[in-house]
Amino acid sequence: MTRPVRIKGIAASVGIGVGPARLSSREQRALTYRRISDGEIGDEVRSFQHAVAASRDEIELAKQELIQQHGSAYAPILDVYLLMHTDALLIDAIVDEIRGDKINASWALGRVVERLKAPLLDDASSYFRERARDIDHVKEHLLRHLSGTGRGESPASHPTILVAHDLTPADAVHLLAPPTVGLVTEMGGANSHTAILARTFGVPAVVGTGPLPVVVEQDEMVIVDGFSGDVTIGAPPKEQRVAAERRDRFFSFLESERTTNAVTRDGISISVAANIELPSEVEAAIENGAEGIGLYRTEFMCLDRSEPPSEEEQVELYRTVVTAVAPKTVIFRTFDWRGDKRLQSDRLAERQHDWLKTQIRAVLRASTGGSVALMFPMVATLDELANARSLVEDCRGELEDDSARLAALPVGMMVEVPAAALLAEQFAASADFFAVGTNDLVQYTLGVDRRDHRTAGSPLDPAVLRLLDQTIVAATNTDTPCSMCGDMAADPIGLGLALGLGYRKVSVPASVVPLARAVIRNVDLATATEAARAALDCKSAKEVRDLALDRFGNELGALWRKHGIV
Ligand code: PEP
Ligand code: MG
């Protein structure tokens, strides 16, 4: 196919990467199928057990590397993979298959893995889908050791863009370390462990491109745009130069924006907080001058385990975050399991209720160390909010420590389903604050799947804008603090419109905080307000975007051009 080839994926880590492709050699290792005789069973089981031990050693080594480079906060990411190496449902089941069905180890491995993955893949939640991929990643490591290829791939020796079908987090630890300057994977989502590691290492990344339409050659020049999700393969030299300039400008821009104020041209202060998934991101949030943590997606600490940490462990973890951020506020969002609301298991629902109570108690206890608020995701009815609030009171009652029992803990809700936006005025009577989640609001308003970048809708759609307008009007009328923590606020065009609609608090990924402040400092609220009013009457997201580009052109044009947004 002629070059350049342009591909769209999911923007998973901001920044621009330009460099020669480095193809991961670990692409879709094939399973081998072989019947074995009674006499071979013992050897086959033993070679499988050796593979398990070698794979565990490999991941343990990666964990130590990770701790050395980035501290212990990230270690749990790899613990899940270590735990799977002793999981009876996986390891013992494979041995049983080898023995019972007299088949070779890799065949047994494939069978058991598919069986374990099936119920997870059936679920609509990206959380469970990512867990299925964790199992695949362990399979990949085990297969590698079964076939005797072991760890094999060594880190890059010069700046390259890593192009892979998929990347296990253990591989990511050493393959994403400097001098790697970009990542492209066919598989994976923005919330996968590998995407989190790319953000941690500051490596621009585009994931989930789907099967690449061309065979990428080793050393072929690739441009990764971690803002838009665009990947360009075989870009001509001029395009490479332009991309490299954007990359450099973004680096120096980040440096220069670390300590600026978020004040609009006409002197209105806007609060820019940070969204975090893991405690380890707090450091970047503070470094970038975030006004506290506007959204702590706590479910991420469970990615490594089959159930949440104990109350004591959570208290300890939450306290670290609260103390580091104090006197600024940390808004804890209770576990957001999303699609598993659809799981028809009463037992799971019961356990989730217990997990939730444990979590609320832990947040109450940690709240004595600083400024803390709690919010509930996916609230759609007034009853749900009332139940959530009374659950908080029940949890208070269960605490022994007086100061935790009496702690001031504002209780708010995400506004991320249309029902909540439509009834925002009524919700305001019982919510201490709102945090607007545009990611889910878009999917539930437009009926699209946020995981699928080909169908994903836009927060600039006039239907979404009207719900956002309704929410902020209700919040303002009722004096309910209201922030926007969905990705619309992280998009320089979306942020301009959010300000125009009346949003004065936003929360964006820690790495985007400086960019958000720069947008704010370049915006005049009178222009923004006028643009937002006009946008509400537009007929499509495209019309809104064109309108925003036109109205903000004078103020934000230079900034947008600098970041290649237009
Ligand atoms: C949202 O839905 O916009 C949001 C902030 O929550 P999450 O992305 O975690 O669903
Ligand atoms: Mg959400």
Side-chain angles (χ1 to χ4, degrees), residues 333 336 338 378 414 416 440 450:
R333 179 176 74 187
D336 182 2
R338 312 211 180 146
M378 289 292 167
M414 298 275 304
E416 55 183 345
D440 279 308
R450 66 184 268 188

Side-chain angles (χ1 to χ4, degrees), residues 8-12 117-133 185-192 206-210 300 336-340 342 378 438-444 446-458 487:
K8 188 103 184 145
I10 301 166
K117 274 168 48 186
L120 298 168
L121 290 174
D122 270 352
D123 194 81
S125 129
S126 59
Y127 175 85
F128 284 106
R129 287 173 171 270
E130 289 301 343
R131 302 300 59 78
R133 283 170 26 75
T185 61
E186 293 182 323
M187 302 294 287
N191 291 342
S192 65
V206 172
V207 299
T209 60
F300 272 78
D336 182 2
W337 307 110
R338 312 211 180 146
D340 58 340
R342 281 182 277 271
M378 289 292 167
T438 52
N439 309 339
D440 279 308
L441 194 59
V442 167
Q443 85 162 345
Y444 292 115
L446 301 176
V448 293
D449 181 347
R450 66 184 268 188
R451 288 169 296 147
D452 183 349
H453 60 86
R454 288 159 306 180
T455 64
S458 163
D487 285 348

